[in-house]
């Protein structure tokens, strides 16, 4: 009935052609990425030096323009506070959607708006905070914490979406086991569902943080751009994206070089964060 | 309070109906599970036997669209009564599931203690209760030196006994087992069956099984269900030798199902 047939020359050629096309498409997609990294390393490493990370931008028209200390610390502070706002809230919303709201109408509406929020351009969050918190002068004008609010709003839907997916992955058999033991639903959520989903929640949150750390627009309207290092989130605060934005528009090569150095720093910070997220995810799979 | 055989309670189902949305899964069942006895429920797939036991500890209503009517009395108390806290029902009526489902983030010790912690029980000597539960589930000798190991590091059969220990730790009066050995190999199945035999000294036990030999080995009484209805319940011996309903005879002799 069945006979073995030699692969025809036509089919072999067609196979080769398609493989070639796909490989070419992949190369085309990866090329810009490689170019960006190459340029970042080439231009950014040149700006790096001992004082690059330990001094603030000084605004001197001549001589050493200073480093990016205030920008690094500012980014850490602003993103740190944004994380404290967005991660617990985002996970709480996801917990509501998965454990309580489920397929209900309200949960559906929340899910829809979370999706919409994911697609809102970051500049809109900046404008929103600018209008509601900066222009109204709540606690002064521009401030680091207002930048955190803008970033937090931006990160919230990302955290919620990723957390919801992870919480849905927790097998129902575990919830059932806990409920059959006589556990109330809230204890099941806190003591069984959350710990089981923890590695995935960490990964999702870290990715949201990485996304927030790279945003420029929300910070320009809210935390502003300054030179000095500040540890007071109630004051104007520098940040890496804002510093890059500022420097790259200057007419002096040494400032543009500083922008490249800052860009490389930002990319490396986010890379470390992403790698940590990947490692955390992998370890959980092995456990 | 001393723990003696009298702790087990009689479970009486009266006109029990269960629904999934529009589908009527259990149809007006009257049934009694006697204390210190093992009652097996047999029947083909989809006959409503799992649904029936899930109604006893009110787990059925946890599923979206599922509801139950009728009464389930624990001695005299109706667990579907209006003033009953559903959470307390589940503490009193323990359940063991088809697939072993230890909590993956918890150690062996924590898995057994989970029931107490999840129910917020205080004033219990945890270590003592965990040891007693593991002994009760016949697992103590195998795990006493590695209580801190993850619960999911155990074999399937051990995991199922861990789940039984977890159920015992909250000191229920009735234990429902929903095909507790169907995911296990024959040796592990035998261990579970021996355990059921021991546990009936202290509890009322209901075991759902699609394995007729298992029912014949462990059960004092056997109920046969078909299409959501109870066909008959009798001593296990009579069900398997001289059942009064011809459908039961056809099922136990392997003519269908």
């Amino acid at each position: 009935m069945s006979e073995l047939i030699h692969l025809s020359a036509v089919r072999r050629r067609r196979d080769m052609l398609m493989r070639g096309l796909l490989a070419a498409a992949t190369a085309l997609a990866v090329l810009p990425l490689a170019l960006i990294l190459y340029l970042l390393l080439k231009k950014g490493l040149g700006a790096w030096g001992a004082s690059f990370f330990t001094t603030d931008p000084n605004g001197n028209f001549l001589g050493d323009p200073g480093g990016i200390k205030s920008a690094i610390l500012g980014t850490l502070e602003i993103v740190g506070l944004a994380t404290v706002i967005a991660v617990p809230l985002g996970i709480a919303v996801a917990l509501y959607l998965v454990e309580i709201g489920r397929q209900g109408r309200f949960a559906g509406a929340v899910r829809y708006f979370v999706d919409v929020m994911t697609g809102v351009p970051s500049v809109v969050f900046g404008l929103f905070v600018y209008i509601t918190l900066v222009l109204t002068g709540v606690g002064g004008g521009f401030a680091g914490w207002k930048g955190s609010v803008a970033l937090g709003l931006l990160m919230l839907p990302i955290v919620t979406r990723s957390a919801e997916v992870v919480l849905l992955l927790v097998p129902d058999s575990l919830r059932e086991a806990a409920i059959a033991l006589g556990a109330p639903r809230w204890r099941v959520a806190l003591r069984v569902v959350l710990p089981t989903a923890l590695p995935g929640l960490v990964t999702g949150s870290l990715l949201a943080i990485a996304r927030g750390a790279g945003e420029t627009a929300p910070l320009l309207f809210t935390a502003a751009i300054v030179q000095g290092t500040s540890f007071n989130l109630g004051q104007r605060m520098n940040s890496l994206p804002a510093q890059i934005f500022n420097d790259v528009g200057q007419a002096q090569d040494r400032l543009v070089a500083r922008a490249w150095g800052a860009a490389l720093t930002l990319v490396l910070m986010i890379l470390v964060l992403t790698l940590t997220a990947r490692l955390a995810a992998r370890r959980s799979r092995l456990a | 309070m001393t723990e003696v055989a009298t702790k087990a309670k009689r479970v009486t189902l009266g006109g029990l109906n269960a629904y999934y949305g529009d589908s009527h899964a259990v149809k007006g069942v009257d049934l009694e599970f006697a204390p210190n006895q093992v009652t097996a429920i047999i029947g083909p797939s989809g006959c409503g036997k799992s649904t029936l036991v899930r109604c006893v500890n009110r787990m059925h209503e946890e599923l979206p669209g599922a509801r139950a009517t009728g009464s389930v009395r624990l001695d005299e108390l109706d667990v579907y009564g209006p003033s009953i806290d559903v959470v307390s029902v589940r503490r009193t009526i323990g359940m063991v599931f088809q697939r072993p489902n230890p909590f993956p983030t918890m150690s062996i010790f924590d898995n057994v203690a989970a029931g107490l912690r999840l129910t917020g029980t205080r004033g219990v000597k945890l270590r003592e209760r965990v040891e007693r539960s593991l002994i009760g589930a016949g697992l103590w000798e195998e795990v006493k030196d590695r209580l801190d190991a993850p619960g999911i590091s155990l074999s399937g059969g051990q995991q199922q006994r861990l789940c039984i220990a977890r159920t015992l730790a909250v000191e229920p009066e009735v234990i429902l087992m929903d095909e507790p050995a169907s995911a296990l190999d024959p040796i592990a199945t035998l261990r579970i069956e021996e355990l059921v035999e021991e546990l009936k000294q202290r509890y009322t036990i209901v075991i759902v099984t699609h394995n007729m030999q298992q029912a014949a080995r462990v059960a004092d009484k056997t109920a046969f269900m078909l299409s959501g209805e109870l066909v008959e319940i009798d001593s296990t011996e009579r069900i398997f030798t001289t059942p009064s309903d011809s459908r039961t005879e056809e099922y136990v002799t392997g003519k269908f199902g």
Side-chain angles (χ1 to χ4, degrees):
Chain A
M1 213 167 76
S2 71
E3 279 175 54
L4 295 177
I5 300 172
H6 285 289
L7 195 60
S8 77
V10 176
R11 276 185 54 192
R12 193 169 308 167
R13 269 203 301 278
R14 199 180 296 154
D15 180 53
M16 292 273 282
L17 181 71
M18 292 313 291
R19 276 167 192 269
L21 279 176
L22 287 177
T26 308
L28 200 64
V30 172
L31 188 67
L33 206 70
L35 283 177
I36 290 173
L37 280 177
Y38 168 73
L39 211 60
L40 256 182
L41 283 169
K42 189 179 159 216
K43 299 226 176 189
L45 280 177
W48 280 18
S51 66
F52 188 71
F53 301 103
T54 54
T55 56
D56 288 339
N58 53 32
N60 292 346
F61 193 68
L62 296 168
D64 181 20
I68 57 167
K69 186 181 89 175
S70 66
I72 295 176
L73 291 173
T75 283
L76 290 177
E77 289 172 63
I78 293 173
V79 174
L81 180 61
T83 306
V84 171
I85 297 170
V87 169
L89 205 57
I91 291 177
V93 172
L95 210 50
Y96 170 80
L97 291 177
V98 174
E99 300 296 324
I100 302 164
R102 297 195 222 177
Q103 300 308 318
R105 198 173 291 177
F106 180 66
V110 170
R111 234 174 244 121
Y112 177 74
F113 281 112
V114 167
D115 276 346
V116 171
M117 261 175 86
T118 317
V120 170
S122 62
V123 66
V124 176
F125 291 108
L127 268 178
F128 173 70
V129 173
Y130 179 70
I131 290 167
T132 54
L133 292 179
V134 178
L135 283 185
T136 54
V138 184
F142 295 102
W145 70 268
K146 292 173 187 173
S148 300
V149 171
L151 288 187
L153 285 175
L154 177 105
M155 288 157 63
L156 186 64
I158 308 173
V159 174
T160 301
R161 251 332 194 182
S162 65
E164 192 190 358
V165 172
V166 173
L167 291 176
L168 280 172
L169 284 178
V170 174
D172 273 336
S173 66
L174 297 181
R175 294 186 181 89
E176 220 170 32
I179 289 171
L181 287 170
R185 274 209 168 267
W186 64 271
R187 270 219 181 85
V188 178
L190 291 186
R191 317 241 352 207
V192 176
V193 177
L194 275 187
T196 308
L198 186 66
L201 295 176
V202 170
T203 309
S205 302
L206 286 178
L207 292 176
I209 294 168
R211 168 81 202 282
E215 285 295 342
T216 320
L219 295 180
L220 293 178
F221 301 107
T222 52
I225 309 167
V226 290
Q227 294 173 344
T229 299
S230 170
F231 292 103
N232 181 353
L233 281 159
Q235 292 175 347
R236 292 168 174 240
M237 193 172 269
N238 209 2
S239 59
L240 279 168
Q243 176 81 47
I244 295 165
F245 174 78
N246 197 40
D247 282 351
V248 88
Q250 305 292 325
Q252 300 183 52
D253 285 346
R254 53 204 185 98
L255 292 183
V256 176
R258 184 169 68 190
W260 281 106
L264 181 61
T265 311
L266 185 58
V267 167
L268 284 181
M269 281 167 67
I270 291 172
L271 183 72
V272 167
L273 209 62
T274 313
L275 282 179
T276 316
R278 285 281 156 83
L279 273 178
R282 185 165 310 165
R283 186 169 301 173
S284 75
R285 223 168 295 145
L286 293 178
Chain B
M1 194 169 77
T2 50
E3 289 186 53
V4 287
T6 53
K7 179 153 193 198
K9 287 194 174 163
R10 180 178 305 272
V11 179
T12 317
L13 315 187
L16 187 72
N17 286 286
Y19 306 84
Y20 294 97
D22 293 334
S23 110
H24 196 174
V26 174
K27 298 169 185 165
V29 170
D30 298 292
L31 194 53
E32 194 177 276
F33 304 126
N36 304 112
Q37 282 200 351
V38 178
T39 307
I41 304 178
I42 60 170
S45 299
C47 71
K49 54 192 192 298
S50 286
T51 309
L52 180 89
V53 293
R54 291 173 63 93
C55 287
V56 175
N57 65 344
R58 296 187 61 174
M59 282 297 285
H60 174 64
E61 64 204 70
E62 284 294 317
L63 298 169
R67 65 200 166 84
T69 62
S71 71
V72 174
R73 274 180 292 130
L74 199 59
D75 281 354
E76 290 312 311
L77 194 68
D78 184 1
V79 305
Y80 279 92
S83 63
I84 297 292
D85 177 10
V86 60
V87 163
S88 72
V89 171
R90 297 178 190 138
R91 286 174 205 175
T92 312
I93 307 176
M95 186 163 212
V96 177
F97 295 88
Q98 186 169 357
R99 297 201 160 271
N101 51 3
F103 299 122
T105 55
M106 297 185 196
S107 67
I108 292 170
F109 183 93
D110 289 342
N111 258 290
V112 181
L116 297 170
R117 290 181 179 148
L118 283 167
T119 53
T121 312
R122 288 175 202 284
V124 173
K125 286 180 185 138
L126 213 52
R127 199 140 197 115
E128 211 172 90
R129 183 74 72 86
V130 168
E131 179 174 342
R132 187 145 45 90
S133 306
L134 282 168
I135 291 172
L139 192 59
W140 176 250
E141 287 304 318
E142 292 155 69
V143 300
K144 64 181 176 189
D145 298 323
R146 47 176 177 139
L147 293 174
D148 290 331
I152 46 174
S153 66
L154 298 172
S155 73
Q158 288 173 324
Q159 284 186 23
Q160 191 62 301
R161 278 180 282 143
L162 180 65
C163 293
I164 292 174
R166 183 174 68 186
T167 303
L168 299 183
V170 285
E171 304 203 313
E173 291 159 354
V174 178
I175 297 179
L176 310 171
M177 297 182 158
D178 189 359
E179 305 197 19
S182 66
L184 306 179
D185 63 72
I187 305 285
T189 300
L190 190 65
R191 290 285 288 118
I192 299 284
E193 288 176 4
E194 286 167 0
L195 189 55
V196 169
E197 198 64 34
E198 286 166 31
L199 289 175
K200 80 171 184 185
Q201 312 299 324
R202 290 175 54 194
Y203 306 95
T204 308
I205 293 184
V206 181
I207 181 168
V208 169
T209 178
H210 60 229
N211 178 334
M212 283 182 273
Q213 286 81 11
Q214 183 169 69
R217 285 191 296 261
V218 301
D220 301 297
K221 284 195 160 180
T222 297
F224 173 59
M225 283 183 72
L226 193 61
S227 314
E229 285 165 15
L230 176 70
V231 175
E232 65 177 307
I233 177 166
D234 212 327
S235 74
T236 299
E237 199 188 327
R238 289 207 45 171
I239 289 285
F240 285 103
T241 51
T242 52
S244 43
D245 194 291
S246 62
R247 290 171 294 175
T248 313
E249 186 170 6
E250 283 172 22
Y251 182 71
V252 299
T253 53
K255 290 211 173 80
F256 75 97

